[in-house]
Amino acid sequence: MHLPNHVAVIMDGNGRWAKERFLPRTEGHRRGVATLRRIVEAARREGVKHLSVFAFSSENWNRPGDEVQTLMKFFVKALAQEAKPLLENGIRLHVVGDVAAFDGKLREAIAQAEQITAPASAMTLNVLMNYGGRWDIAQAARAAAAAGEPITEESIGKHLALSWAGPVDLMIRTGGEKRISNFILWQAAYAELWFSDVYWPQFGPEHLHEALEWYDGRERRFGKTSEQIQAGEGENA
Ligand code: IPE
Ligand code: IPE
Ligand code: MG
């Protein structure tokens, strides 16, 4: 099977999962953390090299204060609990986004988890928090300008937050919505898009596998014709 190198996931549907069960939205988020653990392990087993997940968008600050506070608590707890198991699984954690906006406790938990997992190299897990695709492009352009570089696709690409992971090959969104919601924009320019109606708390390794099999069947043309690709001129042929 031809695997995507970089998979990006919009983990959506926690709230609706909870609501359907007459549970508080935060219970959906708690389940969502458990799902993430299973999917990270599954992606590692499948052989994905870079997994980027959307945990908190720059727009999510607009949610009710108590929901935001609970999410922040879950982040601190999950970072503290998961760092060692991630390391043992060969998974290096990066938190990506405008983390300066978080309180000291969360920033400390992020720094610790990143430090603990730094020696791992089988897969990177990129958790996007207070991230927005537009923010990323703007900060990359500012960094290029500050380095005295010309504003080109190459220089912006080099300064993007996820530069080590390369282009997104497969983008998955759970929870039924068919939108990007200001997730990774630049690096997803040629991503294959997989939308699942399954709410994130119920998304399992079998659903990930289904998406990977679907990806394997895509013909990625990058602007060329199908005939060119089949004649072996394609990047992935
Ligand atoms: C995604 O689930 C998790 C976060 C945005 C943190 P939602 O909380 O958006 O779930 P729905 O879309 O309301 O069901
Ligand atoms: C996107 O989900 C953000 C995350 C999954 C963290 P949202 O549920 O916030 O997206 P919109 O606002 O409904 O598009
Ligand atoms: Mg949502």
Side-chain angles (χ1 to χ4, degrees):
M1 187 158 87
H2 183 252
L3 278 175
N5 179 61
H6 185 183
V7 176
V9 185
I10 302 176
M11 309 183 286
D12 196 22
N14 292 352
R16 280 163 290 160
W17 177 88
K19 197 173 170 197
E20 280 186 5
R21 287 157 183 79
F22 306 101
L23 294 167
R25 293 178 55 82
T26 48
E27 198 47 42
H29 296 317
R30 186 194 308 279
R31 283 286 297 246
V33 175
T35 296
L36 178 57
R37 182 182 305 121
R38 282 200 309 277
I39 294 300
V40 168
E41 284 167 12
R44 164 85 173 81
R45 279 197 307 274
E46 295 272 8
V48 170
K49 281 285 164 208
H50 303 281
L51 178 68
S52 299
V53 299
F54 209 5
F56 193 84
S57 75
S58 29
E59 290 74 24
N60 288 145
W61 293 112
N62 295 321
R63 294 196 175 193
D66 55 346
E67 180 171 343
V68 171
Q69 278 320 304
T70 303
L71 280 167
M72 297 298 148
K73 271 191 215 146
F74 285 169
F75 294 151
V76 172
K77 196 171 155 203
L79 286 163
Q81 282 180 353
E82 300 302 328
K84 281 213 182 80
L86 285 172
L87 175 67
E88 282 156 16
N89 270 316
I91 301 164
R92 179 170 186 176
L93 176 90
H94 296 277
V95 172
V96 170
D98 193 1
V99 295
F102 294 130
D103 71 18
K105 209 171 162 189
L106 180 49
R107 276 183 285 137
E108 178 61 24
I110 291 168
Q112 284 244 347
E114 286 187 333
Q115 201 198 332
I116 290 169
T117 64
S121 61
M123 180 175 104
T124 73
L125 168 62
N126 311 298
V127 179
L128 278 64
M129 286 174 34
N130 197 21
Y131 176 90
R134 291 174 180 169
W135 165 83
D136 196 1
I137 294 168
Q139 71 78 22
R142 276 196 300 275
E149 296 165 7
I151 303 297
T152 61
E153 291 191 17
E154 197 194 357
S155 70
I156 290 177
K158 196 173 79 187
H159 292 286
L160 286 166
L162 276 167
S163 54
W164 60 84
V168 174
D169 301 299
L170 172 63
M171 186 182 281
I172 296 172
R173 182 173 189 140
T174 66
E177 309 291 357
K178 294 183 175 59
R179 55 179 177 250
I180 308 260
S181 302
N182 197 22
F183 192 34
I184 301 170
L185 296 176
W186 184 287
Q187 303 97 321
Y190 252 108
E192 301 291 331
L193 307 175
W194 173 260
F195 297 100
S196 166
D197 287 332
V198 177
Y199 294 142
W200 177 249
Q202 286 180 312
F203 195 79
E206 72 278 19
H207 299 114
L208 175 69
H209 190 74
E210 196 187 335
L212 294 174
E213 282 197 323
W214 172 82
Y215 175 88
D216 185 40
R218 297 302 89 203
E219 182 180 70
R220 303 191 76 197
R221 292 195 280 274
F222 297 100
K224 295 184 179 182
T225 67
S226 188
E227 289 73 17
Q228 284 175 297
I229 301 296
Q230 275 162 36
E233 293 174 40
E235 285 186 33
N236 295 311

